[in-house]
Amino acid sequence: MISGKLPEDLSYLFSPEDGAKGICECLEEKEEGGDSSLSLSSGLSRLHGALLFIMLSFAASRGFCQVFAEVNRRSYPTFGSVIRAFTTSSPTCGEASDSASVVTYAQLKTMLSNRDIQLFDVRNLDEYQAGHIPAAVNIPLGNLEESLKLSPELFKLMFEVKPPEKDDTNIVFHCRSGKRSSKALDIARQLGFSRARHYEGGYSEWVEQEKEGK
């Protein structure tokens, strides 16, 4: 590493002022008729040394900046990469289809058999009246949020069933094929029903499985 201050016996090599001074002295000696070859050589040597030092210092500082920029670029992710990572890793609303959120046909049958289920059909009323899973309570998707916000007394009065509680593990939503029940699950979880699930196969699968079982 080059220190900020050079030894006095070498500083003349890197001083452009001294180099120029040496040339001027050479010209003065020539006018006076003296021997100027040594002074001229010394002045040029000093000036050359100063220019060389400036060039090396510039090259070194430029190289350091390039290295620093490269290290900085590799060490820290760009804003675009952070956004891409976030958007690709975050779940999409309405796609609650992980295994912990889904109830299968076999599980649904067991829960119904044990009478350990709060099953809510989020299809429209006319769909529900055309056919529904036994013990299912109809709450159309458009009315679900306001219904889950009702007081326990009003909920029981309106739907004639025990109102669900936020820590219940037997809350299940279903629709025809799983799309509306997935949205229903998102709504319920946003309201604090963190253990609620949905029957992804829906009423369509239920009908098919029931026919095959007969």
Side-chain angles (χ1 to χ4, degrees), residues 87-145:
T87 54
T88 54
S89 61
S90 300
T92 303
C93 181
E95 293 185 358
S97 59
D98 56 283
S99 59
S101 303
V102 174
V103 170
T104 65
Y105 170 79
Q107 290 172 327
L108 182 62
K109 288 284 287 186
T110 300
M111 295 174 77
L112 288 169
S113 174
N114 295 334
R115 296 184 179 180
D116 182 24
I117 190 171
Q118 299 178 80
L119 182 61
F120 298 104
D121 185 337
V122 296
R123 296 178 299 161
N124 295 329
L125 179 60
D126 59 335
E127 295 176 278
Y128 177 82
Q129 291 176 339
H132 59 270
I133 299 174
V137 177
N138 181 228
I139 305 180
L141 181 63
N143 302 332
L144 180 64
E145 183 172 356

Side-chain angles (χ1 to χ4, degrees), residues 149-184:
K149 289 180 178 179
L150 292 173
S151 66
E153 294 78 15
L154 286 177
F155 188 95
K156 186 174 182 179
L157 180 64
M158 183 173 291
F159 299 105
E160 299 181 347
V161 293
K162 171 184 173 294
E165 297 182 6
K166 293 184 177 180
D167 291 332
D168 288 344
T169 60
N170 61 351
I171 300 172
V172 178
F173 299 100
H174 90 84
C175 61
R176 184 180 64 85
S177 58
K179 291 183 179 180
R180 282 175 287 180
S181 62
S182 178
K183 293 179 181 179

Side-chain angles (χ1 to χ4, degrees), residues 1-15:
M1 177 181 290
I2 300 175
S3 62
K5 183 178 180 182
L6 295 170
E8 294 181 359
D9 57 342
L10 296 177
S11 61
Y12 73 92
L13 293 173
F14 302 97
S15 173

